[in-house]
């Protein structure tokens, strides 16, 4: 019989060890993995003590949970496990014994973790009804199957003040529901403090991405990939603020002193932005190779282009919830994948211009059917408004068995050579 493990504890230990080992040699990596390790350490300790833990889908405002002393673990944020070779496949395969293969792997991974017993069961499960049907279908079904209390946050399709007010009322219902199911009460003072931390974090990530937009790029994708998992789990905490302050300071130092962001020499010859997903299972190998071999620097991918405006008025409970409702609909994935398609198209054009791209990459996650349906519209919009070409690559964000890394790199090489030839002409 296979021995049960606690994957959260295992990853917390691993990330903590990496953070300590790289504290002096690579402060950026140390800060990022240290902050992620903090989440899983807190979740492990809470489960051991009997304190409440909530699994949440992305864009669920974690500020509320931290303010209520409930540890939030973003289920899709668990895709950070794909950084460990061979760590995700068995959980995806286990989930496929219960649900169809075409369901998103980022939902199958947490499902498999819970079904296997390798992750402690949370006390509650909270999800939002966007941007895709996989979240609605899987999270609620897993919660029901395992007997976990489940709350679904309703969000209207269109983004408007009326829609934000509706979602704010849903968040208020969620707080009451959490109080009833966890025994933890909302403290307005703690919520205000969590929001101050959240605002600081969102202000810092805007500054970090402004630095990444500089030429040459001081903070390319092979390093910055973990930014989004940080924002899925830690808004509302001083740990996120401390992490981002370290990143900003170190990246600014690189800019000021012309320090290379990676431990090998390369010359930036062209810049790529990834307007959707990216091969999380292969980070940072292929992209580093493309930087070395072709000078092709991947600057950023869609989920790291975080442009949420901080909530300025923290004097009133309802105003804070309204600000969080607005944030939840304008975080990456919810903003672009939750419709309408024009939001994704406009964001893609903005990324190409802001990061001074020579080419765009639509790495289409195989399960994101709605975005594949709109991909041609977005590619045409980018080309018409910026003159920049886009390549389409089908992959699975965390499962390298769908499109292997070498096949992805081969397609990118062809695209890069076309852009370089176009530049010479």
């Amino acid at each position: 019989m296979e021995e049960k493990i606690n994957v959260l504890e295992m990853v917390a230990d691993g990330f903590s060890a990496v953070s300590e080992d790289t504290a002096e040699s690579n402060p950026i990596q140390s800060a990022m993995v240290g902050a992620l390790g903090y989440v899983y350490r807190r979740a492990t300790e809470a489960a051991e003590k009997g304190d409440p833990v909530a699994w949440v889908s992305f864009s669920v405002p974690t500020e509320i949970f931290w303010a209520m002393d409930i540890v939030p673990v973003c289920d899709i944020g668990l895709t950070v496990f794909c950084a460990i070779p061979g760590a995700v496949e068995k959980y995806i395969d286990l989930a496929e014994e219960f649900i169809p293969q075409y369901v998103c792997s980022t939902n199958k991974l947490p499902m498999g973790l819970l079904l296997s017993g390798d992750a402690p069961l949370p006390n509650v499960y909270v999800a939002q009804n966007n941007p895709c049907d996989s979240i609605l279908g899987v999270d609620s079904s897993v919660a029901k199957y395992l007997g976990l209390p489940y709350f679904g946050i309703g969000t209207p399709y269109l983004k408007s003040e009326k829609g934000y007010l509706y979602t704010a009322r849903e968040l208020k219902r969620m707080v009451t529901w959490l109080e009833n199911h966890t025994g933890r009460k909302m403290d307005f003072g703690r919520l205000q403090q969590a929001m101050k931390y959240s605002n600081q974090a969102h202000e810092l990530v805007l500054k970090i991405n402004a630095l990444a937009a500089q030429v040459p790029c001081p903070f390319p994708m092979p390093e910055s990939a973990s930014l989004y998992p940080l924002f899925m789990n830690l808004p509302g905490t001083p740990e996120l603020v401390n992490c981002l302050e370290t990143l900003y300071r170190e990246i600014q130092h690189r800019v000021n002193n012309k320090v290379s962001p990676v431990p090998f020499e390369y010359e930036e010859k062209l810049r790529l932005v990834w307007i959707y997903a990216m091969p999380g299972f292969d980070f940072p190998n292929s992209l580093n190779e493309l930087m070395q071999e072709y000078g092709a620097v991947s600057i950023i991918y869609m989920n790291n282009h975080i442009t949420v405006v901080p909530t300025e008025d923290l004097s009133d409970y309802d105003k804070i919830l309204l600000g969080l409702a607005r944030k939840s609909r304008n975080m990456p994935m919810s903003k672009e994948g939750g419709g309408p398609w024009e939001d994704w198209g406009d964001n893609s054009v903005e990324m190409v211009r802001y990061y001074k791209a020579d080419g765009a990459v639509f790495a289409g996650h195989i399960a994101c059917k709605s975005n594949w349906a709109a991909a041609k519209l977005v590619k045409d919009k980018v080309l018409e408004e910026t003159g920049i070409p886009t390549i389409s690559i089908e992959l699975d964000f965390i499962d390298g068995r769908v499109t292997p890394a070498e096949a992805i790199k081969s397609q990118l090489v062809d695209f890069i050579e076309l852009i370089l030839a176009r530049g010479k002409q």
Side-chain angles (χ1 to χ4, degrees):
M1 182 176 179
E2 188 176 352
E3 183 181 355
K4 286 287 184 291
I5 59 174
N6 184 334
V7 172
L8 299 187
E9 183 176 29
M10 180 186 73
V11 174
D13 290 342
F15 282 5
S16 296
V18 172
S19 180
E20 291 176 8
D21 290 344
T22 58
E24 293 186 10
S25 62
N26 192 338
I28 287 178
Q29 182 185 37
S30 176
M32 296 176 85
V33 298
L36 286 170
Y38 170 81
V39 175
Y40 305 121
R41 176 74 62 212
R42 282 291 308 272
T44 300
E45 292 173 350
E48 290 173 351
K49 294 190 295 185
D51 293 335
V53 176
W55 278 35
V56 302
S57 66
F58 57 73
S59 294
V60 172
T62 58
E63 295 89 341
I64 290 172
F65 295 82
W66 290 114
M68 297 179 70
D69 200 22
I70 302 168
V71 180
V73 175
C74 180
D75 57 358
I76 294 179
L78 295 168
T79 54
V80 295
F81 294 167
C82 69
I84 306 170
V88 303
E89 288 82 359
K90 74 171 184 176
Y91 300 112
I92 292 173
D93 293 344
L94 174 59
E96 288 179 355
E97 296 178 15
F98 295 83
I99 58 176
Q101 186 179 23
Y102 58 75
V103 172
C104 183
S105 61
T106 63
N107 295 112
K108 288 186 284 193
L109 171 60
M111 178 182 182
L113 282 166
L114 290 176
L115 291 174
S116 68
D118 288 349
L121 292 181
N123 299 86
V124 293
Y125 214 135
V126 178
Q128 207 164 261
N129 68 336
N130 77 76
C132 64
D133 291 340
S134 281
I135 291 175
L136 283 174
V138 175
D139 289 2
S140 58
S141 299
V142 170
K144 184 175 182 180
Y145 182 81
L146 296 173
L148 301 173
Y150 175 84
F151 187 92
I153 302 170
T155 55
Y157 175 72
L158 294 176
K159 303 176 185 71
S160 65
E161 286 306 308
K162 184 177 180 181
Y164 298 144
L165 285 168
Y166 179 90
T167 302
R169 290 192 292 270
E170 288 286 276
L171 294 177
K172 182 176 279 190
R173 281 202 316 119
M174 181 192 74
V175 169
T176 301
W177 183 87
L178 287 171
E179 290 178 332
N180 292 335
H181 283 85
T182 68
R184 298 296 167 91
K185 299 298 180 182
M186 171 60 77
D187 180 280
F188 181 62
R190 291 192 63 178
L191 179 60
Q192 284 181 311
Q193 183 59 65
M195 291 301 298
K196 289 176 183 177
Y197 289 136
S198 178
N199 284 349
Q200 287 179 267
H202 283 283
E203 289 165 358
L204 281 164
V205 79
L206 290 174
K207 293 180 180 179
I208 289 168
N209 284 341
L211 290 177
Q214 295 199 24
V215 180
C217 175
F219 189 46
M221 272 174 63
E223 280 193 306
S224 66
S226 295
L227 264 181
Y228 187 54
L230 289 170
F231 274 86
M232 284 191 276
N233 290 284
L234 284 165
T237 67
E239 284 73 19
L240 179 58
V241 175
N242 294 337
C243 171
L244 296 176
E245 286 177 341
T246 298
L247 267 57
Y248 179 67
R249 181 177 64 250
E250 294 295 324
I251 299 167
Q252 186 66 65
H253 171 77
R254 289 176 176 179
V255 172
N256 295 341
N257 296 279
K258 297 181 172 55
V259 177
S260 173
V262 291
F264 54 77
E265 293 297 324
Y266 70 95
E267 177 187 357
E268 182 178 301
K269 295 180 180 179
L270 64 87
R271 296 160 68 90
L272 301 174
V273 296
W274 296 58
I275 60 173
Y276 200 61
M278 51 90 169
F281 63 88
D282 185 49
F283 260 72
N285 302 322
S286 294
L287 299 190
N288 276 340
E289 291 171 6
L290 293 173
M291 289 165 66
Q292 272 190 292
E293 296 168 15
Y294 293 90
V297 181
S298 292
I299 309 298
I300 198 166
Y301 82 113
M302 183 188 76
N303 286 9
N304 276 358
H305 184 55
I306 301 168
T307 58
V308 170
V309 177
T311 303
E312 294 183 1
D313 190 346
L314 305 180
S315 63
D316 180 82
Y317 181 52
D318 288 328
K319 289 179 180 178
I320 288 177
L321 293 182
L322 180 60
L324 289 174
R326 188 177 288 109
K327 170 191 168 180
S328 73
R329 286 297 282 122
N330 287 284
M331 281 294 285
M333 284 302 291
S334 292
K335 178 181 179 182
E336 299 88 3
W341 80 266
E342 289 87 351
D343 288 354
W344 179 29
D346 291 342
N347 190 67
S348 299
V349 169
E350 177 185 307
M351 288 181 65
V352 166
R353 288 175 172 162
Y354 188 74
Y355 297 102
K356 308 172 188 68
D358 301 293
V361 182
F362 167 58
H365 186 50
I366 192 171
C368 293
K369 308 303 182 188
S370 58
N371 289 83
W372 270 107
K376 181 65 165 60
L377 293 169
V378 172
K379 290 171 63 175
D380 288 349
K381 183 178 180 66
V382 169
L383 184 62
E384 290 167 5
E385 297 190 21
T386 71
I388 297 300
T390 302
I391 183 175
S392 295
I393 299 174
E394 184 180 68
L395 50 71
D396 188 291
F397 174 63
I398 62 173
D399 190 346
R401 296 171 296 183
V402 173
T403 308
E406 281 304 312
I408 295 171
K409 181 183 175 184
S410 176
Q411 294 176 70
L412 287 171
V413 166
D414 291 343
F415 184 56
I416 288 165
E417 289 179 343
L418 285 172
I419 295 174
L420 291 173
R422 177 186 179 194
K424 290 178 182 178
Q425 293 173 358

